[in-house]
Amino acid sequence: MAVPIAVLDCDLLLYGRGHRTLDRFRLDDVTDEYLVSAYGFPRRFIHSLVDLLGASLSRPTQRSRAISPETQVLAALGFYTSGSFQTRMGDAIGISQASMSRCVANVTEALVERAPRFIRFPEDEAAVQSLKDDFYGLAGMPGVLGVVDCTHVAIKAPNAEDLSYVNRKGLHSLNCLMACDSRGALLSAETHWPGSLPDCAVLQQAALAGHFESRLQKDGWLLGDSSFFLRTWLMTPLHIPETPAEYRYNMAHSATHNIIERTFRTLRSRFRCLDGSKGTLQYSPEKSSHIILACCVLHNISLEHGLDVWASPATGHMEQPDEEYEQMESMDSEACRIRQELLLTHFS
């Protein structure tokens, strides 16, 4: 009996049903230079990623059981770093465009599962103190536990007419709240917020705010820009500095906070699927959020492997709504007192 062609998997058409594992592409057959140019990372990093994700990618499923973890990782890295499912990339590793899409979904899910392991604030006292010391060494700002900001990633319009994802420029996006350390390693990444939400509203509702509001440790803070409200745990710049101490505070704040902007530029440069140069992410908001978070996990893993976070020049662009910073001063008298004490103690 004839089998309708529509029910056949693309890889079965190419390689036949008998192939349980398809060795389409061998890492050892190409140079490191080729791997970096095509997939964004050197051989040793890709091997370590296969080891890390292999158990998850080998889970038996009806569709992807024949594709090796190595091939799945290469397919996903190719998409993350190029921003497109190009036919030539699928041809290079021996899979169809449809299979590439499934590989990206599998690897993204595996990376998201591991996000709590790689994206987190340090907890032991020595690591927290080291975090503060590293920040202090940048520009003399004491007590800093992280720098925080939001960045937008363009997505396709959701199927439902949901205006909550339309940002100030009239484009659909996710507003992603992130915090990082002095090296650019991410300490927190919340990638699911609708693009219509202003930065201050995102932070107000975020798990990050809940963590700092409820934490027992009170001897440190995050640094945020003028789009956020001053809090006891979030130091913002002064809108109109008047004294030399206030100018010194603002300069140290700006120099330290700039780390998160450099981190955003690095993410856009390394993971071109985020920068908008290849168009918007062609997925639902939920799947797009997972892809962004997967790239954040890869960013931190690459730092753990000694890959220089600032090595790649920023290219492309990411649609960023123009923020109209209003007077965001807090009515929290305790937060004002803490900032004033910081001015007197360290910048006068």
Side-chain angles (χ1 to χ4, degrees):
M1 182 179 67
V3 179
I5 192 69
V7 304
L8 294 179
D9 184 85
C10 297
D11 293 318
L12 294 180
L13 289 174
L14 289 172
Y15 300 102
R17 189 176 296 276
H19 286 74
R20 297 287 296 178
T21 300
L22 303 176
D23 294 322
R24 302 173 171 88
F25 181 93
R26 292 179 57 84
L27 284 174
D28 295 334
D29 291 342
V30 295
T31 65
D32 250 14
E33 289 75 13
Y34 171 79
L35 291 172
V36 171
S37 66
Y39 304 102
F41 295 95
R43 188 188 334 273
R44 61 181 176 83
F45 179 86
I46 297 173
H47 276 308
S48 68
L49 199 59
V50 172
D51 291 340
L52 175 68
L53 306 180
S56 298
L57 301 179
S58 298
R59 289 177 297 198
T61 62
Q62 187 174 8
R63 280 185 171 272
S64 63
R65 67 184 183 277
I67 303 179
S68 69
E70 181 178 286
T71 300
Q72 293 185 62
V73 166
L74 286 171
L77 291 179
F79 169 70
Y80 297 147
T81 58
S82 73
S84 65
F85 292 120
Q86 297 181 10
T87 302
R88 60 177 179 80
M89 185 169 292
D91 291 343
I93 56 178
I95 62 175
S96 65
Q97 183 171 327
S99 294
M100 277 197 67
S101 180
R102 291 196 299 273
C103 291
V104 171
N106 292 343
V107 174
T108 296
E109 179 183 356
L111 287 167
V112 168
E113 288 174 356
R114 290 159 176 80
R117 171 180 168 185
F118 291 101
I119 302 176
R120 56 187 175 82
F121 281 88
E123 296 179 356
D124 65 275
E125 186 175 341
V128 170
Q129 186 58 51
S130 177
L131 190 64
K132 294 180 186 178
D133 292 343
D134 289 343
F135 273 118
Y136 186 79
L138 293 176
M141 180 69 76
V144 180
L145 298 171
V147 288
V148 61
D149 207 347
C150 288
T151 188
H152 284 253
V153 177
I155 63 171
K156 74 171 184 178
N159 291 331
E161 287 299 323
D162 190 349
L163 297 180
S164 65
Y165 292 95
V166 179
N167 62 37
R168 296 173 67 94
K169 285 189 173 181
L171 304 171
H172 292 83
S173 68
L174 291 168
N175 196 2
C176 305
L177 176 72
M178 301 184 194
C180 72
D181 67 13
S182 63
R183 300 178 305 136
L186 294 170
L187 304 169
S188 176
E190 300 184 39
T191 60
H192 62 283
W193 297 102
S196 66
L197 285 179
D199 295 357
C200 61
V202 169
L203 181 59
Q204 184 177 358
Q205 301 175 52
L208 179 64
H211 171 76
F212 273 86
E213 291 282 2
S214 63
R215 67 188 175 85
L216 297 177
Q217 181 183 346
K218 300 295 183 181
D219 59 343
W221 39 73
L222 300 174
L223 296 188
D225 64 18
S226 298
S227 63
F228 300 114
F229 288 106
L230 178 70
R231 294 286 184 263
T232 57
W233 48 269
L234 179 69
M235 293 293 103
T236 60
L238 291 135
H239 290 276
I240 306 177
E242 297 177 347
T243 68
E246 290 175 346
Y247 276 102
R248 285 193 288 269
Y249 167 85
N250 270 15
M251 289 178 65
H253 187 292
S254 177
T256 307
H257 186 265
N258 186 54
I259 295 296
I260 188 68
E261 298 298 335
R262 293 175 67 188
T263 301
F264 288 156
R265 290 195 295 270
T266 297
L267 284 167
R268 294 194 293 269
S269 174
R270 178 168 281 166
F271 303 109
R272 299 294 297 276
C273 67
L274 306 182
D275 75 0
S277 65
K278 299 294 184 179
T280 62
L281 285 174
Q282 297 296 303
Y283 298 93
S284 68
E286 181 181 9
K287 289 184 178 179
S288 296
S289 170
H290 286 178
I291 287 172
I292 301 166
L293 184 55
C295 291
C296 291
V297 174
L298 282 173
H299 169 81
N300 276 13
I301 295 175
S302 69
L303 277 179
E304 289 190 4
H305 283 76
L307 299 180
D308 187 358
V309 66
W310 315 124
S312 301
T315 57
H317 67 283
M318 184 183 294
E319 293 293 350
Q320 296 282 26
D322 296 325
E323 293 287 350
E324 295 181 4
Y325 294 153
E326 300 176 359
Q327 191 73 9
M328 301 292 284
E329 287 297 336
S330 173
M331 299 304 292
D332 186 338
S333 60
E334 178 64 10
C336 294
R337 184 196 67 78
I338 290 175
R339 187 169 66 179
Q340 187 61 30
E341 182 178 328
L342 183 59
L343 281 164
L344 294 173
T345 303
H346 292 278
F347 295 98
S348 294

